[in-house]
Amino acid sequence: MDVETAVVVGVGPGLGAAITKRFASEGVAVAPVARSADYLEELAADAPGPGTVDPYPGDATDPDHVQHVVDAVRDAHGAVDSLVLNVPGPDRAGQGVAETTPEAVEACWRLQVDAAVRWTNAALDDLRTPAAADASGAVLATNSMAATTASGSPARGAARHGLRGLVRAYADDLGEQGVHVSHLLVGGWLDKPSLRERFPDHDTWTDPDDVADAVWHVLNQPASAWTFEFDVRASGDDVRPM
């Protein structure tokens, strides 16, 4: 497919920003969604052309905001043909069983799983109605290796596993309707300011711009060779079981 109009949910100074810029450089009309209006305005000003970047600050879990964004993007740029779900978990989710509460699990689930359902539902009619006969819509969800391995935070792990299961079910169902659904596992240490600050002695980092290149490639695959799940990490990082 040829990506023309994309909504990127969960944009910060890491993978979300890199995907937004990569899409804009390819001429895509991109709608980045995040809580910080100031950050999104800076990103829009810094993004390369020939595409456009129209920021939509707000809560990615708010049903009204979800529908507002999809409707506004459709009115301004046409049907949403690509949806990237890059929503992070909450800052505080507890570590270990003793600190895991139903509230923590619910908070993680709301951000990872509920948000994915809301955004996909809002854009579903667009995704299933391609503009051209040889085109198709696409949904790509990012995740961490906590989706496939044990996590130090059971609350985060439960939500990450839930998101993977949801996306797998979506791929099975929507694939028959011409929608390419894929699941990205970031298996390495993503190079972003917050992690650099927390782990100054770590040596091996995964460049968000390089991951964005991989995302662009997957979302533009022909229908005869779609990728469902792919795992990216820097050279030298351990390859962990899926």
Side-chain angles (χ1 to χ4, degrees):
M1 66 168 290
D2 294 323
V3 180
E4 296 181 359
T5 304
V7 175
V8 182
V9 185
V11 174
L15 185 53
I19 291 172
T20 299
K21 291 179 179 180
R22 181 70 170 88
F23 282 20
S25 73
E26 296 287 347
V28 176
V30 193
V33 180
R35 289 182 178 274
S36 174
D38 291 342
Y39 176 75
L40 289 180
E41 290 294 341
E42 293 175 5
L43 175 63
D46 188 48
T52 60
V53 177
D54 294 334
Y56 288 90
D59 183 353
T61 66
D62 180 350
D64 291 337
H65 184 61
V66 172
Q67 196 61 57
H68 163 71
V69 172
V70 172
D71 290 344
V73 172
R74 184 187 302 114
D75 290 344
H77 303 290
V80 175
D81 58 41
S82 293
L83 175 64
V84 178
L85 302 167
N86 185 55
V87 184
D91 293 334
R92 297 180 181 179
Q95 299 294 326
V97 174
E99 295 183 14
T100 301
T101 64
E103 292 77 16
V105 174
E106 181 181 356
C108 291
W109 193 270
R110 186 170 62 251
L111 282 169
Q112 306 284 197
V113 182
D114 288 2
V117 172
R118 293 188 192 283
W119 284 97
T120 305
N121 285 351
L124 193 54
D125 286 344
D126 286 4
L127 297 169
R128 291 189 298 196
T129 311
D134 59 348
S136 62
V139 179
L140 184 143
T142 69
N143 212 333
S144 73
M145 291 306 294
T148 61
T149 60
S151 171
S153 168
R156 289 183 187 274
R160 293 291 189 182
H161 277 73
L163 177 61
R164 187 188 189 206
L166 177 78
V167 175
R168 183 175 292 277
Y170 278 7
D172 185 58
D173 186 359
L174 295 178
E176 298 179 355
Q177 303 176 54
V179 181
H180 180 189
V181 179
S182 55
H183 184 236
L184 164 59
L185 289 164
V186 180
W189 293 61
L190 194 64
D191 191 356
K192 57 183 181 178
S194 59
L195 284 182
R196 285 273 189 177
E197 184 177 347
R198 288 171 58 194
F199 302 99
D201 297 328
H202 189 72
D203 295 326
T204 308
W205 295 94
T206 297
D207 189 331
D209 291 337
D210 293 336
V211 180
D213 288 342
V215 169
W216 177 256
H217 167 72
V218 167
L219 290 184
N220 285 277
Q221 290 173 324
S224 64
W226 278 350
T227 294
F228 166 60
E229 188 165 75
F230 62 114
D231 175 10
V232 295
R233 73 184 68 79
S235 173
D237 280 345
D238 293 337
V239 179
R240 288 168 283 185
M242 299 284 278

